[in-house]
Amino acid sequence: MANVVVVGSQWGDEGKGKIVDWLSERADVVVRYQGGHNAGHTLVIDGVSYKLSLLPSGLVRGKFSVIGNGVVVDPHHFVSEVEKIAGQGISVTPEVLRIAENAPLILSLHRELDALREDSNSGLKIGTTRRGIGPAYEDKVGRRAIRVCDLGEPETLRDKIERLLTHHNALRRGMGAVEISAEAIHSELMAVADKILPFMDRVWDLLDERRKRGERILFEGAQGALLDNDHGTYPFVTSSNTVAGQAAPGSGLGPAAIDYVLGITKAYTTRVGEGPFPSEQDNEIGQFLGEKGHEFGVVTGRKRRCGWFDAVIVRQTVRTSGIHGIALTKLDVLDGMDEIQVCVGYELDGQRIDYLPASMGAQSRVKPIYETLDGWKETTAGARSWAELPAQAIKYVRRIEELIGASVAMLSTSPEREDTILVQDPFQD
């Protein structure tokens, strides 16, 4: 049996929540390995919607779940999200969830700094969720982060807070913001310490033991690979590595633990926030896709930008994440269209290219090259076998496979878990 990494192959919002939920039935352990509570996952189970942004999706199915060291954890949001799904009948206890002892914490000062930067009249607007994710990762890399394990050592916590504030108060003075006292941060942390510490564990050790016992591990990514800090549309990216390879360092397991990478891929393209989007349709087509696909951010409620499927960026992600197969989602949103376009290449300064360039300037200048395919009038919604799909819809799927260099392992035809066509079980190595 294989261990599987689920990664978004576009800019996020590809439908990872449903696919992780579908796969979790076959898994023994579900692990979040990067990001924070800035990525929303929606699961629809028996008509009930569960909206998660920090907790692993496997919890809704009662699967043993882990928040890895690669995640930045807002302790107050953690408590509120646990309480929220408890109100929906999902109990979250240390028996079913563990948090890595070395996971960095997001504090109120991180959220405030995030907002101060976004609201600044100078600099570049990234379009963050203002939840403090980026500043928290900065402190991790700067070796001044407060981590989960620090909550259990109150005798040294104050010194660590003072060191953190030496950096942050200097920033706040420079931005005209009021300085923060160490006592305020200490009180903020102590208010939730007793609710976090029972979940703390040596996650790297726990996962290694479970793997040795032959348990199947599902690694759940957040955001999408095109928001990767190295391989995405920099600087309009998130502050962590979102490609599949991050599953190893973000959980404490070595790369040999990864057997299969499943790329979640929307049948068209969406993006939230700022940054390049070559196939964007800022017109009636984009409006149609947005309305029919209910394209609003789970976390922020922001309207998503919509456009045609971009085979160039997905083909690139297949390579940077080592994707073995894709789960194609939201095919039903394209039902009823007379024709469908697919971006098959770019033109940059008069030359045709087959990749997304790294520089911001070049990314802003690329022009999409489209191939036009016939649409279909029949519905694909709710289909559970290839025989139920219109012939032209199958041709569309096959053309996508050819263009991106990866096969469709799963096909999702509605938000409902059961409306899924399985071609290849990722857990069968």
Side-chain angles (χ1 to χ4, degrees):
M1 293 294 181
N3 296 322
V4 177
V5 177
V6 170
V7 61
S9 70
Q10 294 151 312
W11 280 291
D13 308 310
E14 301 96 347
K16 290 183 291 296
K18 171 193 169 173
I19 300 300
V20 169
D21 176 53
W22 196 92
L23 290 169
S24 67
E25 185 178 51
R26 292 162 169 75
D28 300 299
V29 183
V30 180
V31 182
R32 270 287 306 273
Y33 61 83
Q34 54 78 217
H37 63 306
N38 55 337
H41 291 173
T42 301
L43 295 83
V44 180
I45 301 173
D46 298 327
V48 179
S49 292
Y50 300 88
K51 296 183 184 297
L52 307 177
S53 54
L54 176 62
L55 298 175
S57 300
L59 283 171
V60 179
R61 293 286 175 184
K63 294 292 181 174
F64 186 81
S65 300
V66 167
I67 296 176
N69 58 275
V71 178
V72 284
V73 178
D74 183 321
H76 288 84
H77 179 87
F78 171 81
V79 172
S80 66
E81 193 167 312
V82 166
E83 292 174 349
K84 179 182 177 182
I85 69 167
Q88 294 183 284
I90 307 297
S91 177
V92 180
T93 67
E95 282 65 48
V96 294
L97 175 68
R98 304 292 170 82
I99 304 174
E101 61 184 356
N102 50 340
L105 296 176
I106 299 174
L107 310 178
S108 59
L109 55 80
H110 294 126
R111 295 191 298 273
E112 292 168 13
L113 179 57
D114 210 352
L116 284 168
R117 287 172 172 169
E118 281 292 294
D119 293 336
S120 173
N121 291 324
S122 61
L124 191 69
K125 286 190 180 297
I126 302 299
T128 76
T129 57
R130 298 170 180 256
R131 296 198 163 197
I133 310 299
Y137 274 116
E138 289 176 37
D139 284 342
K140 173 184 177 178
V141 176
R143 293 166 292 189
R144 54 183 172 264
I146 306 298
R147 305 191 296 175
V148 173
C149 56
D150 295 326
L151 299 178
E153 299 180 350
E155 67 281 1
T156 61
L157 179 58
R158 289 184 185 275
D159 289 340
K160 292 174 181 176
I161 293 174
E162 290 284 0
R163 182 168 178 270
L164 177 68
L165 290 181
T166 298
H167 173 78
H168 275 273
N169 278 334
L171 287 176
R172 294 174 73 90
R173 286 193 298 271
M175 302 181 80
V178 176
E179 293 188 28
I180 302 173
S181 71
E183 187 58 38
I185 297 299
H186 187 268
S187 298
E188 174 185 324
L189 291 171
M190 289 301 98
V192 290
D194 290 343
K195 296 181 180 180
I196 300 293
L197 288 172
F199 294 92
M200 185 178 75
D201 207 337
R202 293 187 310 280
V203 162
W204 61 270
D205 189 29
L206 179 153
L207 289 175
D208 184 59
E209 287 299 320
R210 295 226 170 200
R211 186 171 79 96
K212 287 176 178 175
R213 293 207 300 260
E215 295 189 18
R216 290 164 294 187
I217 302 172
L218 179 62
F219 298 91
E220 177 184 6
Q223 290 99 23
L226 286 166
L227 294 175
D228 185 272
N229 197 258
D230 287 301
H231 300 287
T233 48
Y234 191 92
F236 303 100
V237 293
T238 193
S239 298
S240 62
N241 286 111
T242 59
V243 292
Q246 177 62 20
S251 65
L253 286 176
I258 299 171
D259 300 299
Y260 189 96
V261 178
L262 180 68
I264 315 303
T265 307
K266 194 177 287 186
Y268 50 101
T269 311
T270 61
R271 177 166 197 168
V272 170
E274 307 298 324
F277 185 170
S279 66
E280 182 175 12
Q281 298 297 300
D282 188 13
N283 52 30
E284 66 279 0
I285 293 172
Q287 184 176 351
F288 171 84
L289 294 172
E291 291 177 355
K292 191 172 181 182
H294 306 291
E295 297 295 352
F296 296 90
V298 175
V299 170
T300 63
R302 288 184 292 181
K303 184 179 179 181
R304 295 173 184 146
R305 301 155 62 189
C306 299
W308 296 119
F309 185 83
D310 189 334
V312 180
I313 58 174
V314 177
R315 181 169 62 241
Q316 194 159 317
T317 299
V318 165
R319 299 169 70 177
T320 57
S321 273
I323 291 172
H324 296 91
I326 67 167
L328 191 65
T329 65
K330 290 200 163 186
L331 182 66
D332 56 298
V333 173
L334 301 178
D335 291 352
M337 303 192 81
D338 292 324
E339 60 181 32
I340 300 169
Q341 291 188 301
V342 176
C343 176
V344 297
Y346 298 143
E347 180 185 309
L348 176 62
D349 301 334
Q351 299 293 319
R352 179 164 178 156
I353 60 173
D354 61 355
Y355 61 91
L356 184 66
S359 78
M360 187 173 73
Q363 288 175 359
S364 68
R365 296 196 307 275
V366 296
K367 298 177 181 179
I369 299 171
Y370 289 114
E371 178 179 301
T372 302
L373 304 175
D374 291 334
W376 55 90
K377 294 301 182 182
E378 308 93 326
T379 182
T380 63
R384 299 183 184 181
S385 70
W386 287 107
E388 297 177 56
L389 294 176
Q392 197 57 46
I394 295 175
K395 289 182 181 178
Y396 180 74
V397 173
R398 295 306 185 204
R399 183 57 179 148
I400 285 177
E401 290 179 319
E402 292 172 358
L403 290 168
I404 67 174
S407 299
V408 170
M410 301 172 66
L411 184 64
S412 171
T413 57
S414 91
E416 292 294 336
R417 183 175 185 271
E418 291 76 15
D419 293 339
T420 305
I421 300 172
L422 179 64
V423 180
Q424 177 186 11
D425 187 344
F427 279 115
Q428 298 295 329
D429 189 16

PDB file of all heavy atoms in Angstrom, residues 318-338:
ATOM      1  N   VAL A 318       3.003  19.535 -12.863  1.00  0.00           N
ATOM      2  CA  VAL A 318       3.202  18.077 -12.907  1.00  0.00           C
ATOM      3  C   VAL A 318       4.670  17.738 -12.711  1.00  0.00           C
ATOM      4  O   VAL A 318       5.036  16.775 -12.022  1.00  0.00           O
ATOM      5  CB  VAL A 318       2.666  17.507 -14.254  1.00  0.00           C
ATOM      6  CG1 VAL A 318       3.173  16.083 -14.483  1.00  0.00           C
ATOM      7  CG2 VAL A 318       1.135  17.538 -14.267  1.00  0.00           C
ATOM      8  N   ARG A 319       5.539  18.570 -13.260  1.00  0.00           N
ATOM      9  CA  ARG A 319       6.977  18.316 -13.167  1.00  0.00           C
ATOM     10  C   ARG A 319       7.555  18.780 -11.833  1.00  0.00           C
ATOM     11  O   ARG A 319       8.361  18.076 -11.225  1.00  0.00           O
ATOM     12  CB  ARG A 319       7.686  18.985 -14.335  1.00  0.00           C
ATOM     13  CG  ARG A 319       7.218  18.430 -15.685  1.00  0.00           C
ATOM     14  CD  ARG A 319       7.696  19.253 -16.870  1.00  0.00           C
ATOM     15  NE  ARG A 319       9.136  19.128 -17.078  1.00  0.00           N
ATOM     16  CZ  ARG A 319       9.788  19.703 -18.078  1.00  0.00           C
ATOM     17  NH1 ARG A 319       9.118  20.459 -18.949  1.00  0.00           N
ATOM     18  NH2 ARG A 319      11.095  19.541 -18.212  1.00  0.00           N
ATOM     19  N   THR A 320       7.158  19.972 -11.358  1.00  0.00           N
ATOM     20  CA  THR A 320       7.758  20.482 -10.115  1.00  0.00           C
ATOM     21  C   THR A 320       7.244  19.750  -8.881  1.00  0.00           C
ATOM     22  O   THR A 320       7.910  19.760  -7.842  1.00  0.00           O
ATOM     23  CB  THR A 320       7.497  21.989  -9.953  1.00  0.00           C
ATOM     24  OG1 THR A 320       6.091  22.241  -9.970  1.00  0.00           O
ATOM     25  CG2 THR A 320       8.173  22.779 -11.060  1.00  0.00           C
ATOM     26  N   SER A 321       6.082  19.110  -8.986  1.00  0.00           N
ATOM     27  CA  SER A 321       5.559  18.346  -7.848  1.00  0.00           C
ATOM     28  C   SER A 321       5.669  16.838  -8.050  1.00  0.00           C
ATOM     29  O   SER A 321       5.293  16.070  -7.176  1.00  0.00           O
ATOM     30  CB  SER A 321       4.089  18.704  -7.576  1.00  0.00           C
ATOM     31  OG  SER A 321       3.974  19.813  -6.716  1.00  0.00           O
ATOM     32  N   GLY A 322       6.164  16.413  -9.206  1.00  0.00           N
ATOM     33  CA  GLY A 322       6.297  14.978  -9.449  1.00  0.00           C
ATOM     34  C   GLY A 322       4.959  14.263  -9.433  1.00  0.00           C
ATOM     35  O   GLY A 322       4.821  13.162  -8.891  1.00  0.00           O
ATOM     36  N   ILE A 323       3.958  14.887 -10.046  1.00  0.00           N
ATOM     37  CA  ILE A 323       2.592  14.340 -10.020  1.00  0.00           C
ATOM     38  C   ILE A 323       2.501  13.073 -10.870  1.00  0.00           C
ATOM     39  O   ILE A 323       2.919  13.048 -12.025  1.00  0.00           O
ATOM     40  CB  ILE A 323       1.588  15.407 -10.518  1.00  0.00           C
ATOM     41  CG1 ILE A 323       1.489  16.540  -9.475  1.00  0.00           C
ATOM     42  CG2 ILE A 323       0.223  14.798 -10.796  1.00  0.00           C
ATOM     43  CD1 ILE A 323       0.682  17.730  -9.941  1.00  0.00           C
ATOM     44  N   HIS A 324       1.932  12.017 -10.259  1.00  0.00           N
ATOM     45  CA  HIS A 324       1.734  10.753 -10.966  1.00  0.00           C
ATOM     46  C   HIS A 324       0.411  10.738 -11.729  1.00  0.00           C
ATOM     47  O   HIS A 324       0.315  10.164 -12.817  1.00  0.00           O
ATOM     48  CB  HIS A 324       1.759   9.589  -9.976  1.00  0.00           C
ATOM     49  CG  HIS A 324       3.073   9.403  -9.284  1.00  0.00           C
ATOM     50  ND1 HIS A 324       3.377   9.997  -8.079  1.00  0.00           N
ATOM     51  CD2 HIS A 324       4.176   8.699  -9.632  1.00  0.00           C
ATOM     52  CE1 HIS A 324       4.602   9.664  -7.701  1.00  0.00           C
ATOM     53  NE2 HIS A 324       5.116   8.881  -8.633  1.00  0.00           N
ATOM     54  N   GLY A 325      -0.616  11.315 -11.142  1.00  0.00           N
ATOM     55  CA  GLY A 325      -1.933  11.359 -11.759  1.00  0.00           C
ATOM     56  C   GLY A 325      -2.714  12.518 -11.186  1.00  0.00           C
ATOM     57  O   GLY A 325      -2.369  13.054 -10.133  1.00  0.00           O
ATOM     58  N   ILE A 326      -3.772  12.928 -11.898  1.00  0.00           N
ATOM     59  CA  ILE A 326      -4.552  14.059 -11.410  1.00  0.00           C
ATOM     60  C   ILE A 326      -5.969  13.626 -11.046  1.00  0.00           C
ATOM     61  O   ILE A 326      -6.489  12.623 -11.545  1.00  0.00           O
ATOM     62  CB  ILE A 326      -4.618  15.208 -12.441  1.00  0.00           C
ATOM     63  CG1 ILE A 326      -5.420  14.793 -13.688  1.00  0.00           C
ATOM     64  CG2 ILE A 326      -3.225  15.672 -12.823  1.00  0.00           C
ATOM     65  CD1 ILE A 326      -5.781  15.958 -14.600  1.00  0.00           C
ATOM     66  N   ALA A 327      -6.572  14.400 -10.156  1.00  0.00           N
ATOM     67  CA  ALA A 327      -7.997  14.293  -9.872  1.00  0.00           C
ATOM     68  C   ALA A 327      -8.632  15.519 -10.508  1.00  0.00           C
ATOM     69  O   ALA A 327      -8.395  16.647 -10.068  1.00  0.00           O
ATOM     70  CB  ALA A 327      -8.257  14.266  -8.374  1.00  0.00           C
ATOM     71  N   LEU A 328      -9.387  15.324 -11.568  1.00  0.00           N
ATOM     72  CA  LEU A 328      -9.989  16.438 -12.296  1.00  0.00           C
ATOM     73  C   LEU A 328     -11.337  16.765 -11.666  1.00  0.00           C
ATOM     74  O   LEU A 328     -12.206  15.889 -11.533  1.00  0.00           O
ATOM     75  CB  LEU A 328     -10.159  16.071 -13.767  1.00  0.00           C
ATOM     76  CG  LEU A 328     -10.543  17.217 -14.701  1.00  0.00           C
ATOM     77  CD1 LEU A 328      -9.424  18.261 -14.782  1.00  0.00           C
ATOM     78  CD2 LEU A 328     -10.858  16.678 -16.099  1.00  0.00           C
ATOM     79  N   THR A 329     -11.514  18.032 -11.275  1.00  0.00           N
ATOM     80  CA  THR A 329     -12.721  18.438 -10.555  1.00  0.00           C
ATOM     81  C   THR A 329     -13.527  19.464 -11.348  1.00  0.00           C
ATOM     82  O   THR A 329     -13.019  20.105 -12.252  1.00  0.00           O
ATOM     83  CB  THR A 329     -12.359  19.045  -9.184  1.00  0.00           C
ATOM     84  OG1 THR A 329     -11.628  20.258  -9.393  1.00  0.00           O
ATOM     85  CG2 THR A 329     -11.512  18.091  -8.362  1.00  0.00           C
ATOM     86  N   LYS A 330     -14.780  19.588 -10.980  1.00  0.00           N
ATOM     87  CA  LYS A 330     -15.700  20.612 -11.502  1.00  0.00           C
ATOM     88  C   LYS A 330     -15.890  20.553 -13.013  1.00  0.00           C
ATOM     89  O   LYS A 330     -16.132  21.578 -13.654  1.00  0.00           O
ATOM     90  CB  LYS A 330     -15.246  22.003 -11.064  1.00  0.00           C
ATOM     91  CG  LYS A 330     -15.431  22.258  -9.572  1.00  0.00           C
ATOM     92  CD  LYS A 330     -15.438  23.728  -9.251  1.00  0.00           C
ATOM     93  CE  LYS A 330     -16.033  23.984  -7.880  1.00  0.00           C
ATOM     94  NZ  LYS A 330     -16.175  25.427  -7.601  1.00  0.00           N
ATOM     95  N   LEU A 331     -15.818  19.373 -13.572  1.00  0.00           N
ATOM     96  CA  LEU A 331     -16.088  19.222 -15.004  1.00  0.00           C
ATOM     97  C   LEU A 331     -17.514  19.662 -15.332  1.00  0.00           C
ATOM     98  O   LEU A 331     -17.782  20.217 -16.403  1.00  0.00           O
ATOM     99  CB  LEU A 331     -15.871  17.765 -15.424  1.00  0.00           C
ATOM    100  CG  LEU A 331     -16.057  17.444 -16.900  1.00  0.00           C
ATOM    101  CD1 LEU A 331     -14.995  18.142 -17.742  1.00  0.00           C
ATOM    102  CD2 LEU A 331     -16.017  15.930 -17.131  1.00  0.00           C
ATOM    103  N   ASP A 332     -18.426  19.448 -14.385  1.00  0.00           N
ATOM    104  CA  ASP A 332     -19.839  19.772 -14.619  1.00  0.00           C
ATOM    105  C   ASP A 332     -20.089  21.266 -14.819  1.00  0.00           C
ATOM    106  O   ASP A 332     -21.105  21.654 -15.393  1.00  0.00           O
ATOM    107  CB  ASP A 332     -20.692  19.250 -13.455  1.00  0.00           C
ATOM    108  CG  ASP A 332     -20.233  19.775 -12.100  1.00  0.00           C
ATOM    109  OD1 ASP A 332     -19.079  19.478 -11.729  1.00  0.00           O
ATOM    110  OD2 ASP A 332     -21.002  20.485 -11.435  1.00  0.00           O
ATOM    111  N   VAL A 333     -19.164  22.121 -14.351  1.00  0.00           N
ATOM    112  CA  VAL A 333     -19.333  23.566 -14.521  1.00  0.00           C
ATOM    113  C   VAL A 333     -19.295  23.932 -16.007  1.00  0.00           C
ATOM    114  O   VAL A 333     -19.892  24.932 -16.434  1.00  0.00           O
ATOM    115  CB  VAL A 333     -18.249  24.337 -13.729  1.00  0.00           C
ATOM    116  CG1 VAL A 333     -18.307  25.834 -14.019  1.00  0.00           C
ATOM    117  CG2 VAL A 333     -18.417  24.084 -12.235  1.00  0.00           C
ATOM    118  N   LEU A 334     -18.630  23.112 -16.810  1.00  0.00           N
ATOM    119  CA  LEU A 334     -18.513  23.391 -18.244  1.00  0.00           C
ATOM    120  C   LEU A 334     -19.712  22.885 -19.046  1.00  0.00           C
ATOM    121  O   LEU A 334     -19.790  23.139 -20.255  1.00  0.00           O
ATOM    122  CB  LEU A 334     -17.230  22.763 -18.793  1.00  0.00           C
ATOM    123  CG  LEU A 334     -15.917  23.232 -18.145  1.00  0.00           C
ATOM    124  CD1 LEU A 334     -14.733  22.485 -18.756  1.00  0.00           C
ATOM    125  CD2 LEU A 334     -15.739  24.740 -18.295  1.00  0.00           C
ATOM    126  N   ASP A 335     -20.624  22.179 -18.394  1.00  0.00           N
ATOM    127  CA  ASP A 335     -21.806  21.667 -19.096  1.00  0.00           C
ATOM    128  C   ASP A 335     -22.572  22.803 -19.773  1.00  0.00           C
ATOM    129  O   ASP A 335     -22.769  23.880 -19.187  1.00  0.00           O
ATOM    130  CB  ASP A 335     -22.755  20.968 -18.112  1.00  0.00           C
ATOM    131  CG  ASP A 335     -22.195  19.658 -17.566  1.00  0.00           C
ATOM    132  OD1 ASP A 335     -21.151  19.211 -18.056  1.00  0.00           O
ATOM    133  OD2 ASP A 335     -22.829  19.101 -16.643  1.00  0.00           O
ATOM    134  N   GLY A 336     -23.010  22.566 -20.997  1.00  0.00           N
ATOM    135  CA  GLY A 336     -23.880  23.523 -21.680  1.00  0.00           C
ATOM    136  C   GLY A 336     -23.157  24.551 -22.523  1.00  0.00           C
ATOM    137  O   GLY A 336     -23.801  25.349 -23.213  1.00  0.00           O
ATOM    138  N   MET A 337     -21.833  24.560 -22.502  1.00  0.00           N
ATOM    139  CA  MET A 337     -21.095  25.540 -23.300  1.00  0.00           C
ATOM    140  C   MET A 337     -20.976  25.059 -24.751  1.00  0.00           C
ATOM    141  O   MET A 337     -20.788  23.862 -25.018  1.00  0.00           O
ATOM    142  CB  MET A 337     -19.703  25.771 -22.714  1.00  0.00           C
ATOM    143  CG  MET A 337     -19.710  26.234 -21.262  1.00  0.00           C
ATOM    144  SD  MET A 337     -18.091  26.832 -20.692  1.00  0.00           S
ATOM    145  CE  MET A 337     -18.117  28.501 -21.361  1.00  0.00           C
ATOM    146  N   ASP A 338     -21.097  25.985 -25.685  1.00  0.00           N
ATOM    147  CA  ASP A 338     -20.993  25.626 -27.104  1.00  0.00           C
ATOM    148  C   ASP A 338     -19.570  25.226 -27.471  1.00  0.00           C
ATOM    149  O   ASP A 338     -19.362  24.275 -28.234  1.00  0.00           O
ATOM    150  CB  ASP A 338     -21.436  26.806 -27.980  1.00  0.00           C
ATOM    151  CG  ASP A 338     -22.919  27.096 -27.848  1.00  0.00           C
ATOM    152  OD1 ASP A 338     -23.691  26.132 -27.703  1.00  0.00           O
ATOM    153  OD2 ASP A 338     -23.295  28.283 -27.873  1.00  0.00           O
TER     154      ASP A 338
END
